[in-house]
Amino acid sequence: MTDLQQFVYISRANFAGHRQGRGVPPEVGRILIQSRLNNPRRGLVGALYYGNGYFFQCLEGTPKAIDTLYADLLDDPRHRDLKVLHRQDIRAPSFSEWEMKYVPDAAQVSDLMRRSGMDAFDPYRFAPATVGAMVELLRKGSEGMPQAKRAGMPAGASRRRVARGTVMALLALAVLIAVIALHR
Ligand code: FAD
């Protein structure tokens, strides 16, 4: 048995709207940088979606880690009207590779809204099935904030890339030392 939960909440942004398809809004970029710095130390992973002035965030970690962050989130002046949509025990995280994955205004979100009978992204009107479909969409969607803009400790795949690079560098060094030793 694991002590892991998946937690989904929504909120309304307190900053002015942003035209869709114009990249990551600066306020959201700052939240992502802060999340990616903090979440490894908090023991959390997850994904964030921002669209139509709403946030939809999926967090995964221990109940304690989730509750601690949620207490901070409730006090954060950058959003309001927080509402928990889903909380359940999980065996393994869906976002283990991500301190906080960001999926931009994806065409798939518009498709999901159409299929759910909605003309715009409004998570306050989501049925439970739409919440699940949205989490799945975030899991499968492409990351929208380029690697160069990511801050903090590398996670998952990037951490493995760094480890591979270190092993290759050590191997190259060992070969070099062996060659020098042979030519002495
Ligand atoms: P600091 O970064 O030092 O912040 C101290 C206080 O200042 C916080 O109470 C915060 O509310 C406020 N603050 C910080 N930056 C700003 C700003 N630019 N404008 C206005 N007030 C500000 N944090 C995480 O750690 N992980 C997450 O996954 C995460 N997701 C978030 C999702 C959303 C939609 C929002 C709005 C915030 C999210 N945050 C997340 C931020 C979180 O609410 C806290 O601000 C943050 O965790 C506090 O980080 P810190 O302890 O390093 O404090």
Side-chain angles (χ1 to χ4, degrees), residues 9 11 30-31 34-35 38-39 41-42 48 55 57 59 69 72-73 75-79 99-100:
Y9 79 90
S11 62
R30 280 193 283 275
I31 289 169
Q34 191 180 26
S35 304
N38 287 350
N39 287 352
R41 130 180 107 67
R42 288 182 180 271
L48 180 71
F55 287 109
Q57 189 172 29
L59 295 165
L69 174 59
D72 288 346
L73 287 165
D75 280 344
D76 196 312
R78 291 169 286 185
H79 62 170
E99 307 101 336
M100 192 45 59

